[in-house]
């Protein structure tokens, strides 16, 4: 049987799937990146390896912020940006989707589609307010596990208004509101609402959001945020049970399109893969170079802007 | 002998250097923009000023550190017109000793005023000689811009990597040795032939994209993360109308035409290049370009005014548009991700 691997290396979590040729998930894995994509992917691949013996891997795709490095490490046949990957993945399950809202750990994006074609997209540019990282840090401050955030938010009837323009201001506003004596559940609900407002004002600015709307990324698992999206947009929001894996599924599907006779292997445990950061002193630009070594052999350099640094 | 610094923008330091070094007896310091320039510039600038201010200030400081004593700034049609005074003040506060000359005030090049300024430095300006070299450098800019049009459209499809850039470097080197007008023209024709002879692989040619936006960010590759070249590598031929030749000579005559062509959207001139960009956006949309990229430095007010109109035009003609706002803190990875997605979007639209 043929299968394809898709890996989405995000800032917070690393997602991986193995799909068959019809796009059904054979195996999935979701782990924390913890700032070390190489280690995380090795662990992820170890989880993904537990598949039936007769499966032949015909393609590997990578996406997310670590796509280039991990693509090189695994010898992937497809390295795609996360916007395209998410769109392709979502289109596979929802053929008539018009809007994809995606809120991840450190970035958020909106993709508008028409007849299965991407028409417009936007990504957050300046700030992490309105992303998962903001929610996680506030959850820590309130000492509430992030997994329970959504359920608590739904209990509130009176979400607190929180200044959501900027993470730092939101935080000081939150401390102020807590000090004044608002309920924790109202504050949590306010946080969820502020994420939605921030997202719509920044990323969704000037975009016509039409249904069907699919919401994905890690934050889509938060019921509170989904609730406030529905309330504010006045549309039904679809959250797939695999919403956190959509990017990985998308890139696996893309790798299927580029399938050749080559068969890939997931035995990477014994391969030593190392990166070394150096500052190039070729000119006064001082590019930060990342040199990549596979089994102690230099295979590629990232970050150089001219021919001097490539060596 | 004076040491003069001119701010960097694209390859235009070649004609500027040529002009100034021929009309007055001096040494010119021009250092290509690097991360160091940017660091020096942004650490001494107000945070919310646009990036051209930061880049030029950085160039000045770098030059002053190398012993320069005269700085040359160019005025402009937007806030840039005030940058001369502001930068002078900042540099004086930093404790540097220098003279500073603003070439363009009130949107015009005033020969008498410049002459006075130069005489103040104790230098003589020969009118005939000056006018002659101004004429030569203007021609040089024109020829460079003509060649650049060709390069932008074809650089992505060269068979041998780097052949365009190599030839261009050689051309600029030769241009700086110009003896007289005929020599310059001869060189231009020679290089034009050479550029046309560069072998192309036209099977890679897929899409064409127009680039509009704020002038400095458009023209200085360092300020836009070499975006034009990144596009070319993806197999996109790039059209960009903004260049020095346009700004200095064509803009005056074309602006009326532009305003009449876009009268559905704008009534008056919007400052700097905003109205021009709106007109070009409409033109590009009408001529079936696959996409439009609008870039500006952060906080560029005229372009912020143009953006909603550009959005409207692009929606009407159903052409995708991508906005970039470059700051000194922009991450390069983010730029690349958005560009890749833009390319995928164009491809999806055309193939499905």
């Amino acid at each position: 049987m043929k299968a394809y691997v898709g890996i989405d290396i995000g800032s917070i979590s690393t997602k991986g799937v193995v799909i068959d040729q019809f796009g059904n998930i054979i195996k999935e894995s979701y782990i924390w990146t913890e700032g070390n994509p190489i280690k995380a992917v090795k662990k992820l691949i170890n989880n993904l390896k537990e598949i039936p013996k007769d499966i032949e891997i015909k393609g590997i795709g990578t996406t997310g912020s670590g796509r280039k490095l991990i693509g090189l490490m695994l010898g992937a046949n497809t390295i795609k940006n996360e916007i395209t990957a998410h769109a392709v993945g979502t289109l596979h399950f929802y053929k008539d989707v018009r809007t994809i809202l995606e809120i991840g750990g450190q970035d958020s994006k909106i993709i508008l589609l028409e007849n299965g074609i991407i028409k417009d997209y936007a990504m957050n540019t300046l700030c992490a307010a309105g992303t998962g990282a903001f929610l996680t840090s506030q959850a820590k401050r309130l000492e509430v596990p992030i997994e329970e955030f959504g359920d608590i938010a739904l209990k509130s009837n009176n979400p607190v208004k929180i200044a959501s323009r900027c993470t730092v201001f939101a935080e000081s506003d939150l401390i102020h509101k807590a000090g004044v004596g608002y309920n924790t559940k109202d504050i949590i609900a306010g946080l969820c609402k502020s994420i939605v407002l921030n997202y719509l004002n920044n990323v969704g600015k000037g975009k016509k959001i039409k249904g069907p709307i699919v919401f994905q990324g890690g934050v889509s698992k938060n019921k509170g945020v989904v609730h406030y999206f529905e309330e504010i947009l006045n549309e039904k929001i679809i959250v797939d049970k695999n919403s956190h894996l959509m990017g990985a599924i998308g890139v696996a599907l893309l790798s299927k399109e580029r399938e050749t006779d080559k068969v890939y292997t997931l035995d990477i445990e014994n391969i030593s893969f190392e990166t070394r950061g150096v500052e190039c002193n070729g000119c006064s630009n001082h590019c930060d170079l990342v040199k990549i070594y596979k089994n102690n052999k230099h295979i590629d350099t990232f970050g150089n802007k001219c021919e001097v640094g490539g060596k | 002998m004076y040491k003069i610094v001119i701010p960097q923008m694209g390859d235009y330091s070649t004609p500027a250097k040529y002009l100034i070094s021929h009309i007055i007896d001096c040494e010119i310091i021009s250092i290509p923009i690097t991360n160091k320039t940017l660091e020096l510039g942004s650490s001494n600038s107000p945070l919310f000023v646009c990036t051209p201010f930061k880049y030029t200030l950085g160039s000045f400081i770098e030059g002053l550190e190398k012993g320069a004593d005269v700085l040359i700034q160019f005025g402009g049609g937007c806030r840039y017109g005030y940058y001369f005074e502001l930068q002078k003040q900042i540099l004086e506060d930093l404790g540097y000793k220098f003279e500073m000359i603003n070439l363009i005030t009130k949107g015009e090049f005033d020969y008498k005023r410049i002459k006075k300024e130069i005489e103040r430095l104790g230098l003589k300006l020969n009118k005939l000689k000056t006018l002659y070299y101004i004429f030569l450098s203007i021609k040089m800019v024109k020829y460079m811009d003509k060649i650049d049009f060709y390069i932008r459209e074809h650089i992505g499809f060269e068979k041998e990597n780097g052949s365009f850039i190599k030839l261009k470097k050689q051309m600029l080197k030769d241009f700086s040795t110009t003896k007289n007008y005929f020599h310059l023209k001869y060189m231009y024709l020679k290089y034009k032939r050479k550029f046309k002879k560069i072998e192309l692989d036209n099977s890679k040619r897929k899409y064409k994209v127009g680039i509009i936006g704020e002038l400095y960010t458009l023209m200085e590759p360092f300020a836009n993360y070499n975006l034009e070249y990144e596009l070319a590598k993806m197999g996109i031929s790039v059209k960009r109308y903004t260049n020095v030749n346009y700004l200095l000579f064509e803009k005056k005559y074309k602006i009326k035409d532009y305003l009449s062509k876009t009268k559905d959207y704008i009534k008056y001139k919007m400052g700097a290049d905003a109205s021009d960009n709106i007109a070009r956006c409409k033109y590009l949309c009408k001529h079936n370009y696959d996409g439009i990229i609008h870039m500006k430095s952060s906080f560029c007010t005229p372009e912020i005014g143009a953006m909603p109109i550009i959005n409207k035009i692009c929606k009407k003609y159903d052409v995708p548009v991508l906005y970039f706002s470059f700051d000194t803190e922009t991450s390069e990875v983010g730029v690349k991700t958005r560009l890749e997605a833009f390319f995928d979007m164009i491809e999806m639209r055309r193939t499905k």
Side-chain angles (χ1 to χ4, degrees):
Chain A
M1 197 168 82
K2 286 181 189 173
Y4 309 88
V5 177
I7 296 170
D8 181 352
I9 309 98
S11 52
I12 305 286
S13 59
T14 298
K15 288 78 74 177
V17 289
V18 182
I19 58 165
D20 65 11
Q21 50 197 329
F22 308 106
N24 303 318
I25 298 172
I26 302 171
K27 181 86 195 163
E28 57 169 89
S29 178
Y30 181 96
I31 59 173
W32 302 119
T33 311
E34 288 167 337
N36 189 343
I38 294 177
K39 209 174 131 198
V41 168
K42 279 194 173 175
K43 203 169 139 196
L44 186 91
I45 292 284
N46 230 353
N47 295 348
L48 292 180
K49 256 165 53 181
E50 299 156 12
I51 43 174
K53 283 272 178 292
D54 60 326
I55 285 177
E56 245 186 355
I57 291 164
K58 299 289 280 180
I60 296 181
T62 57
T63 184
S65 48
R67 62 184 181 276
K68 237 174 116 187
L69 177 68
I70 302 303
L72 201 67
M73 175 176 156
L74 298 174
N77 65 347
T78 311
I79 298 174
K80 261 288 173 240
N81 61 81
E82 46 271 42
I83 297 169
T84 312
H86 271 280
V88 169
T90 314
L91 278 169
H92 180 71
F93 295 101
Y94 303 95
K95 295 258 171 328
D96 53 350
V97 58
R98 290 293 302 273
T99 309
I100 300 172
L101 314 172
E102 204 264 351
I103 304 185
Q106 280 184 1
D107 62 18
S108 48
K109 37 195 163 295
I110 184 167
I111 309 169
L112 304 181
L113 306 104
E114 214 176 293
N115 304 324
I117 295 168
I118 305 176
K119 280 279 162 180
D120 200 0
Y121 68 86
M123 231 169 137
N124 66 332
T125 46
L126 284 173
C127 176
T131 64
F134 170 65
L135 275 187
T136 318
S137 71
Q138 299 319 317
K140 268 210 192 99
R141 173 174 294 281
L142 296 167
E143 291 184 347
V144 174
I146 186 76
E147 293 81 9
E148 292 170 19
F149 228 66
D151 290 317
I152 298 173
L154 287 182
K155 279 181 202 150
S156 161
N157 297 323
N158 183 28
V160 176
K161 246 197 192 139
I162 288 173
S164 62
R165 179 67 38 82
C166 155
T167 310
V168 178
F169 292 159
E171 200 166 305
S172 55
D173 196 35
L174 183 137
I175 294 165
H176 166 73
K177 292 275 155 67
V180 169
Y182 283 98
N183 261 338
T184 310
K185 65 175 187 196
D186 289 343
I187 291 177
I188 288 175
L191 276 173
C192 292
K193 196 170 178 177
S194 86
I195 291 272
V196 174
L197 289 173
N198 187 293
Y199 178 89
L200 294 175
N201 287 335
N202 277 325
V203 186
K205 189 175 64 188
K207 309 261 182 267
K208 279 216 173 76
I209 296 175
K210 285 180 193 153
I213 304 169
V214 177
F215 180 28
Q216 51 200 238
V219 177
S220 67
K221 297 289 175 200
N222 184 324
K223 284 174 204 152
V225 176
V226 177
H227 169 76
Y228 287 111
F229 260 123
E230 283 185 336
E231 190 182 289
I232 292 166
L233 291 173
N234 209 4
E235 286 261 12
K236 200 182 149 13
I237 307 279
I238 305 164
V239 180
D240 195 89
K241 68 175 196 303
N242 293 322
S243 65
H244 57 295
L245 299 172
M246 244 4 140
I249 296 171
V251 81
L253 289 166
L254 284 166
S255 87
K256 184 184 154 223
E257 281 174 22
R258 295 192 189 173
E259 175 183 349
T260 51
D261 291 337
K262 200 178 161 194
V263 178
Y264 294 81
T265 144
L266 291 179
D267 293 319
I268 56 159
E269 241 167 281
N270 300 323
I271 294 173
S272 97
F273 202 80
E274 211 187 326
T275 56
R276 289 174 206 161
V278 275
E279 189 174 274
C280 176
N281 286 316
C283 68
S284 60
N285 205 31
H286 297 294
C287 296
D288 290 320
L289 303 183
V290 179
K291 296 199 171 191
I292 294 154
Y293 296 86
K294 195 172 182 176
N295 291 335
N296 287 324
K297 224 177 92 196
H298 178 224
I299 49 169
D300 205 351
T301 304
F302 291 161
N304 60 307
K305 286 184 178 140
C306 66
E307 57 278 5
V308 180
K311 284 162 201 160
Chain B
M1 200 164 65
Y2 282 114
K3 282 186 177 174
I4 298 183
V5 188
I6 38 175
Q8 291 285 317
M9 186 174 72
D11 299 317
Y12 294 107
S13 58
T14 305
K17 224 170 164 176
Y18 179 78
L19 171 68
I20 297 170
S21 65
H22 277 86
I23 57 172
I24 42 179
D25 186 25
C26 64
E27 190 190 321
I28 305 239
I29 303 175
S30 80
I31 312 154
I33 290 181
T34 60
N35 285 335
K36 196 183 155 205
T37 321
L38 189 55
E39 226 169 83
L40 283 171
S42 51
S43 61
N44 291 306
S45 308
L47 180 60
F48 288 112
V49 78
C50 67
T51 44
F53 186 97
K54 295 174 185 172
Y55 283 115
T56 49
L57 188 71
S59 292
F60 288 149
I61 296 177
E62 253 182 316
L64 287 166
E65 292 289 334
K66 291 219 162 133
D69 33 29
V70 177
L71 313 177
I72 293 185
Q73 179 59 288
F74 304 84
C78 51
R79 284 205 289 197
Y80 204 96
Y82 303 110
Y83 285 2
F84 165 75
E85 284 82 3
L86 192 53
Q87 286 180 330
K88 199 175 166 199
Q89 190 65 55
I90 290 176
L91 291 171
E92 276 170 0
D93 289 350
L94 285 173
Y96 292 109
K97 293 264 178 298
F98 59 92
E99 293 287 337
M100 202 162 168
I101 298 175
N102 196 4
L103 282 190
I104 297 165
T105 42
K106 296 174 193 162
E108 271 174 33
F109 180 85
D110 183 353
Y111 178 75
K112 268 187 194 161
R113 189 185 58 82
I114 306 256
K115 194 177 174 220
K116 253 187 212 160
E117 295 252 352
I118 287 173
E119 277 167 358
R120 194 162 50 88
L121 299 178
L123 293 166
K124 282 257 152 51
L125 209 58
N126 181 325
K127 187 165 187 181
L128 214 62
K129 202 174 150 194
T130 308
L131 289 179
Y132 178 63
Y133 280 108
I134 287 181
F135 164 75
L136 272 188
S137 12
I138 286 172
K139 279 285 171 202
M140 199 188 287
V141 168
K142 252 188 195 163
Y143 292 150
M144 275 169 59
D145 284 344
K146 273 190 186 164
I147 298 249
D148 271 341
F149 267 114
Y150 183 81
I151 295 178
R152 275 197 290 276
E153 263 172 49
H154 301 284
I155 188 167
F157 322 107
E158 55 191 4
K159 268 192 180 154
E160 193 190 321
N161 249 345
S163 42
F164 270 99
I165 293 178
K166 214 167 117 197
L167 191 59
K168 195 178 167 191
K169 264 191 191 153
Q170 208 183 336
M171 180 186 86
L172 291 172
K173 212 171 155 193
D174 277 5
F175 271 14
S176 61
T177 62
T178 302
K179 291 192 195 98
N180 51 41
Y181 175 61
F182 297 104
H183 182 219
L184 181 67
K185 177 133 195 180
Y186 165 75
M187 283 192 292
Y188 162 65
L189 292 172
K190 185 179 91 183
Y191 277 104
K192 199 172 143 190
R193 263 201 312 278
K194 276 192 179 176
F195 272 111
K196 295 228 158 122
K197 260 191 200 152
I198 290 179
E199 275 187 69
L200 298 173
D201 177 6
N202 279 321
S203 64
K204 278 197 261 174
R205 190 182 295 267
K206 283 182 197 154
Y207 308 108
K208 46 183 190 173
V209 162
I211 301 192
I212 53 178
E214 180 253 323
L215 63 103
Y216 190 92
T217 309
L218 284 176
M219 284 191 277
E220 171 55 49
F222 191 89
N224 60 35
Y225 300 88
N226 226 340
L227 193 124
E228 280 175 10
Y229 189 60
E230 292 290 331
L231 283 174
K233 275 198 287 187
M234 295 173 176
I236 291 177
S237 93
V238 174
K239 195 87 175 169
R240 147 157 81 80
Y241 293 99
T242 308
N243 53 35
V244 168
N245 182 42
Y246 170 80
L247 293 169
L248 289 181
F249 311 108
E250 292 176 8
K251 190 175 159 92
K252 278 187 275 211
Y253 309 107
K254 284 196 173 162
I255 189 76
K256 253 195 175 161
D257 178 42
Y258 281 167
L259 279 176
S260 75
K261 274 181 184 150
T262 51
K263 63 173 183 290
D264 295 348
Y265 303 100
I266 48 175
K267 238 180 189 170
Y268 309 104
K269 276 198 268 181
M270 292 173 64
D273 295 341
S275 349
D276 316 45
N277 282 329
I278 291 168
R280 289 192 199 115
C281 171
K282 195 175 164 189
Y283 176 88
L284 293 167
C285 286
K286 269 192 167 170
H287 285 78
N288 265 332
Y289 272 73
D290 297 290
I292 289 173
I293 294 180
H294 178 273
M295 44 184 178
K296 65 172 176 57
S297 62
S298 297
F299 324 115
C300 172
T301 324
E303 293 303 328
I304 290 172
M307 277 162 72
I309 305 174
I310 288 170
N311 217 357
K312 199 172 164 187
I313 297 174
C314 288
K315 269 217 178 101
K316 188 179 160 199
Y317 290 95
D318 195 23
V319 173
V321 56
L322 178 65
Y323 299 102
F324 278 117
S325 197
F326 293 117
D327 192 11
T328 49
E329 309 294 330
T330 312
S331 97
E332 200 174 350
V333 184
V335 174
K336 280 202 176 135
T337 302
R338 285 169 181 81
L339 265 190
E340 278 173 27
F342 190 67
F343 179 79
D344 288 339
M345 179 163 74
I346 291 176
E347 199 167 37
M348 239 181 169
R349 273 165 175 257
R350 290 290 166 183
T351 49
K352 276 188 188 170

